[in-house]
Amino acid sequence: MPVDKSSYKDKKVMSIGIISELTGLSERKIRYYEERKLIFPERTGKGTRKYSFSDVERLMEIADQIEDGVQTFEIKKELTKRQIRDERNKMIRGQINAQFNMRN
């Protein structure tokens, strides 16, 4: 049975404390970025935030942009554009694959 190697990056398994250690960002700053809708942790039944390696990468990108003087609303705008572009590309790939009976 093949292992999906890309999925580990998106599994929300790390606590905010671990994310803080990995990124060097304070827990407060990480929660602030969540409030600004820049990251989207999952919540356990008891409300504990859980993050993925993809979240770590995004937080590092955000921290770099903030350091360069970019405002959070500008980062959000760019993330939204990127998500729209990625979804459009995924849809186009699906249409092409369906047209030519291809798989990934």
Side-chain angles (χ1 to χ4, degrees):
M1 176 181 254
V3 176
D4 183 3
K5 295 177 183 171
S6 64
S7 66
Y8 83 92
K9 288 180 70 175
D10 297 319
K11 290 189 180 189
K12 307 270 186 174
V13 296
M14 295 179 282
S15 69
I16 195 168
I18 292 170
I19 298 303
S20 178
E21 284 185 51
L22 288 171
T23 62
L25 298 170
S26 69
E27 292 183 16
R28 175 68 196 113
K29 190 159 280 198
I30 295 167
R31 287 190 291 270
Y32 173 74
Y33 295 150
E34 179 187 357
E35 290 168 14
R36 302 294 294 170
K37 306 246 185 277
L38 298 174
I39 57 168
F40 303 93
E42 288 182 1
R43 298 281 187 138
T44 65
K46 294 184 179 183
T48 303
R49 291 170 175 86
K50 292 291 184 177
Y51 299 86
S52 67
F53 285 106
S54 293
D55 292 326
V56 171
E57 290 173 358
R58 178 173 279 180
L59 283 165
M60 296 307 293
E61 286 177 26
I62 292 167
D64 287 344
Q65 290 177 310
I66 295 290
E67 193 172 296
D68 291 342
V70 181
Q71 300 293 315
T72 55
F73 77 90
E74 295 171 301
I75 296 170
K76 172 68 175 158
K77 199 161 110 176
E78 187 58 38
L79 287 172
T80 301
K81 283 183 194 177
R82 188 186 310 173
Q83 288 170 331
I84 290 169
R85 184 185 63 235
D86 290 349
E87 287 183 27
R88 185 180 307 128
N89 288 342
K90 185 177 179 182
M91 184 177 69
I92 290 169
R93 278 192 308 274
Q95 290 172 341
I96 291 170
N97 292 343
Q99 180 68 32
F100 295 102
N101 294 320
M102 299 168 61
R103 292 184 188 223
N104 294 338

